[in-house]
Amino acid sequence: DQEAATDALARQRAPSEGAGPVSLTRLSDGARVAVNGKLLEPGQTRLLQNGDQIFLGRIYVLKLVCPGEGAAPMQDDLVLQKEEMDTSELNNSASWKSLQDYVGQVVRQMSSKSAASQLLDEIKLACRLTDEANEITAECRKEGLSFEVDLTSTYPPCVAIRVLECEKGRDCKDEEEWKNRYIWSVRQLNERLDRMKDY
């Protein structure tokens, strides 16, 4: 039931007919709840404003519209633009944070703007998929398995997904303990992720 799933993630308090502010509270530790791209901590309550973007998990994105606050929204204002969603999601991506500076250097060195744009889109997709694969793996598997986005040193650079394994468990901070198990393309990760979601 969609309503029950949403309630497990967060609770919204809506006023009746102009009787105060709207707020959102993240209820569980495993839930992913963000407002305007900023993740909420478990138990954290956030006051919402007209036009705020609310992300519930990785699938549901809502835009809050409060009638009577400002001008009535146009139909186009109600649709979240792809760029807004990408930026909000990447701000919270561990994969993107580890690559961001390096990606900027690589993209600036590329002579073709369209090739640079394609590479950037593939990196963003890889980061989203890798973050989701790491979340599912942390929930379903106890052994140390992790996914990382990497770029090849060839020209033009290619996006690669490193599947890393550590016998000491996923909380091990010693990089020397993590060993490459597989190297996948973004397409391979996407296929594996679809299978992971089925379990």
Side-chain angles (χ1 to χ4, degrees):
D1 174 60
Q2 183 178 352
E3 187 174 316
T6 302
D7 194 43
L9 291 173
R11 179 174 296 126
Q12 167 191 318
R13 299 225 18 160
S16 59
E17 288 296 324
V22 177
S23 65
L24 182 73
T25 303
R26 178 174 167 187
L27 297 177
S28 76
D29 192 27
R32 185 177 189 282
V33 179
V35 176
N36 298 327
K38 304 262 191 277
L39 286 174
L40 274 75
E41 297 298 321
Q44 180 182 358
T45 298
R46 167 95 185 256
L47 289 176
L48 301 176
Q49 305 287 328
N50 189 33
D52 280 348
Q53 299 169 12
I54 303 164
F55 296 79
L56 301 175
R58 293 192 174 274
I59 302 204
Y60 298 105
V61 182
L62 310 167
K63 192 167 196 175
L64 180 66
V65 177
C66 300
E69 288 190 23
M74 302 296 287
Q75 184 64 31
D76 291 345
D77 293 338
L78 297 177
V79 178
L80 289 174
Q81 300 302 316
K82 181 183 182 311
E83 295 79 23
E84 290 178 300
M85 290 172 46
D86 283 351
T87 302
S88 293
E89 199 167 5
L90 287 175
N91 286 340
N92 299 307
S93 169
S95 299
W96 176 253
K97 287 176 185 170
S98 68
L99 274 178
Q100 191 173 7
D101 292 335
Y102 180 61
V103 168
Q105 293 171 6
V106 169
V107 168
R108 281 190 295 277
Q109 292 174 357
M110 296 179 76
S111 57
S112 167
K113 296 278 188 216
S114 66
S117 178
Q118 278 183 317
L119 178 66
L120 197 53
D121 287 345
E122 187 175 20
I123 292 169
K124 289 176 182 179
L125 173 62
C127 288
R128 285 194 300 275
L129 296 175
T130 300
D131 289 341
E132 187 172 5
N134 281 326
E135 288 174 8
I136 291 172
T137 302
E139 195 69 31
C140 298
R141 296 180 72 157
K142 300 303 175 209
E143 68 268 17
L145 196 63
S146 181
F147 301 85
E148 284 186 0
V149 180
D150 206 351
L151 293 176
T152 63
S153 58
T154 60
Y155 189 83
C158 297
V159 180
I161 308 300
R162 294 189 317 137
V163 183
L164 303 168
E165 185 174 40
C166 180
E167 292 179 7
K168 293 185 177 181
R170 68 178 308 99
D171 295 329
C172 179
K173 302 293 181 205
D174 183 2
E175 289 186 24
E176 298 293 320
E177 294 293 328
W178 289 91
K179 306 295 181 211
N180 275 327
R181 186 169 180 185
Y182 307 107
I183 295 182
W184 291 340
S185 67
V186 177
R187 182 184 55 76
Q188 286 173 306
L189 175 61
N190 200 11
E191 291 170 0
R192 299 291 175 118
L193 189 56
D194 284 341
R195 287 189 230 157
M196 290 167 77
K197 292 175 185 176
D198 289 338
Y199 286 106

